[in-house]
Amino acid sequence: MDTQSTKETPTGKLESVRYSLGFRSILIGFIAAAMLLPLFMAKQVVSDRTYYYRTAISSIAKTWGTQQVIAGPVLVVPYTEHIINIDTVTDDKGETKTISRDVFNNKTMVLLPKQLNIDAEVIEKHRKRGIYDALVYQAQIEMTGTFDLGTLPDKTSSKNDIQWKNAWLAVGVSDTKAIDETFPLRWNNDASSPLMPGTMLPNLLPQGFHVKMKDLEREIVLPKFRIKFNVNGSEGLSFAPVGETSTANIHSGWPHPSFIGDIPPVKSDVKANGFDAHWRVPNIARNYPQQWLLGEEKHDLYALKSGVKLFTPISLYAKIERAVKYGVLFVGLTFLTFLIFEITTKTRFHVIQYGLIGLALSMFYIILLSLAEQITFRMAYLYAATATVSIITLYTIAILKSFGRVMLILLFLSSLYAVLYFILQMEDYALLAGAGTMMLIIMVLMFATRNLEHDS
């Protein structure tokens, strides 16, 4: 017969109340509530580590490259408008005279592409700072298309003097310091010009680069252009569809894209080895015209944009933070299990023993966090759960001195941690799985306590 050091027999009315099921349940409930303090401290540790992680990621992004938005190209053409003003004046003698006066107005036209094609190959990379790993990328971008120069002021007219030698083409890049490599602009496949820093359009495109047009052909009505450059970035890549017809293709080996922006892709193919996404946007989708006069009209080229974000499914710290939220459930279910053992075996656990078991359950999250920062989450979870279950199991063997009963506790705790692991791996169905697990546990506990009797 098993010998249990904690087995006592109540004597007297006071002792009867002390060992009654209601009193024990309330007492254990208070102990479980007290375990909120170490769980809160564990959550604070996770929050602090999450803050350090985000700070490190932000620091890496600032040096490597932030989220990139590509806008353009736009063609900027200065010209002089010649106007003859004719005024009729009357002198002191009452004679009427006609006076003509030449007026020259300097204007600048902004012209958007008739056709714009953007092709981007996004290559994911990883950068480490201490123990923290940041997902970044290098994008190889090629922009091709045409401009309709027929919409420029008529060069044969004496009323306009187009200053093509002062014209330039500009492309907006949100983080220019992350531009890694550039290639000369190809104009109509037979001429080229180097890219130069700055857009010379501080209000329209605050950051980016430009190309001087003075050595490039002006006589072609629909000249073709090709702009190619590499840019580093983090988090995501977006583009502004500034063409009369804009198409974009983004390819990557990253298998977890999250499409962002105002217009979703018309076609996307997401596989385990990467994704391909295609956009087609007509100019009717935006709120600015195909050309306008600089300084007389103001338009926001970044008002409409689309792109992709390199999504990291359930980050390490998000998983651990979610696990901590289940801490109260773990403590409550474990204490309830021990209470059922008290009822069925007439054994009394000391309040200190409940407290120590609760602390062991709380330490699971600290162990998991410290290991997961060094090794994979799967192995860290396995080691942390094994350590926690082993400590509680060995402690319970010393208390109950019954191997068979302790095996039930071992099976219960192991199952609980196994279910939690699978819930943490889920993204869209985590809430459903958690709710289903709770209902199943409640059903089991109802079955185990179906024969409880009222306190005498």
Side-chain angles (χ1 to χ4, degrees), residues 93-268:
K93 299 179 180 180
E95 297 180 357
T96 301
K97 296 182 179 180
T98 300
I99 300 176
S100 62
R101 184 163 52 93
D102 293 327
V103 178
F104 297 91
N105 298 320
N106 293 323
K107 297 186 177 183
T108 302
M109 176 172 284
V110 177
L111 180 63
L112 301 182
K114 183 175 183 62
Q115 177 67 40
L116 173 63
N117 308 305
I118 302 174
D119 191 81
E121 180 71 27
V122 179
I123 304 171
E124 72 276 8
K125 295 179 178 293
H126 292 268
R127 289 293 178 269
K128 294 185 71 68
R129 177 157 298 179
I131 63 174
Y132 303 112
D133 179 86
L135 173 65
V136 295
Y137 66 82
Q138 182 184 68
Q140 300 172 355
I141 298 174
E142 185 175 35
M143 310 173 74
T144 59
T146 60
F147 281 98
D148 185 3
L149 300 188
T151 60
L152 293 175
D154 188 0
K155 66 175 183 177
T156 62
S157 172
S158 59
K159 295 181 179 180
N160 299 303
D161 179 20
I162 296 178
Q163 302 171 17
W164 185 252
K165 64 179 180 180
N166 295 326
W168 73 94
L169 185 146
V171 176
V173 180
S174 57
D175 188 3
T176 53
K177 73 177 185 300
I179 296 177
D180 184 55
E181 185 178 9
T182 62
F183 301 88
L185 163 73
R186 297 293 298 178
W187 186 256
N188 210 47
N189 299 324
D190 56 5
S192 63
S193 185
L195 308 186
M196 304 179 68
T199 64
M200 300 196 296
L201 298 169
N203 296 323
L204 185 64
L205 298 172
Q207 299 185 79
F209 54 83
H210 74 280
V211 180
K212 294 289 187 180
M213 305 299 293
K214 63 179 180 179
D215 297 325
L216 302 179
E217 182 61 49
R218 155 73 176 89
E219 305 301 324
I220 308 169
V221 177
L222 286 173
K224 299 178 181 179
F225 65 86
R226 187 184 71 175
I227 303 170
K228 189 176 180 181
F229 62 98
N230 298 342
V231 63
N232 298 330
S234 59
E235 191 175 355
L237 173 68
S238 301
F239 65 92
V242 300
E244 184 174 324
T245 299
S246 301
T247 63
N249 296 279
I250 299 181
H251 325 272
S252 178
W254 184 251
H256 306 291
S258 176
F259 300 113
I260 58 177
D262 302 291
I263 299 178
V266 294
K267 184 174 67 173
S268 61

Side-chain angles (χ1 to χ4, degrees), residues 235-363:
E235 191 175 355
L237 173 68
S238 301
F239 65 92
V242 300
E244 184 174 324
T245 299
S246 301
T247 63
N249 296 279
I250 299 181
H251 325 272
S252 178
W254 184 251
H256 306 291
S258 176
F259 300 113
I260 58 177
D262 302 291
I263 299 178
V266 294
K267 184 174 67 173
S268 61
D269 185 17
V270 181
K271 299 180 180 178
N273 59 349
F275 71 90
D276 291 278
H278 176 74
W279 286 262
R280 184 176 180 84
V281 185
N283 65 346
I284 199 169
R286 67 188 197 215
N287 290 322
Y288 47 84
Q290 196 63 22
Q291 67 268 336
W292 66 88
L293 293 179
L294 188 66
E296 296 185 13
E297 300 179 38
K298 292 183 179 180
H299 300 287
D300 183 8
L301 297 185
Y302 295 98
L304 181 70
K305 56 183 181 290
S306 294
V308 65
K309 179 179 179 181
L310 300 186
F311 176 70
T312 303
I314 314 182
S315 67
L316 166 65
Y317 296 98
K319 286 182 180 179
I320 299 177
E321 188 173 355
R322 282 172 53 187
V324 174
K325 293 178 181 178
Y326 287 93
V328 177
L329 177 64
F330 269 48
V331 172
L333 290 177
T334 304
F335 282 10
L336 186 56
T337 302
F338 279 94
L339 178 60
I340 293 175
F341 267 91
E342 286 193 11
I343 298 168
T344 56
T345 63
K346 305 301 181 182
T347 302
R348 295 293 181 266
F349 289 86
H350 197 280
V351 292
I352 294 179
Q353 293 170 337
Y354 274 105
L356 290 175
I357 292 173
L359 289 175
L361 292 170
S362 302
M363 281 300 298

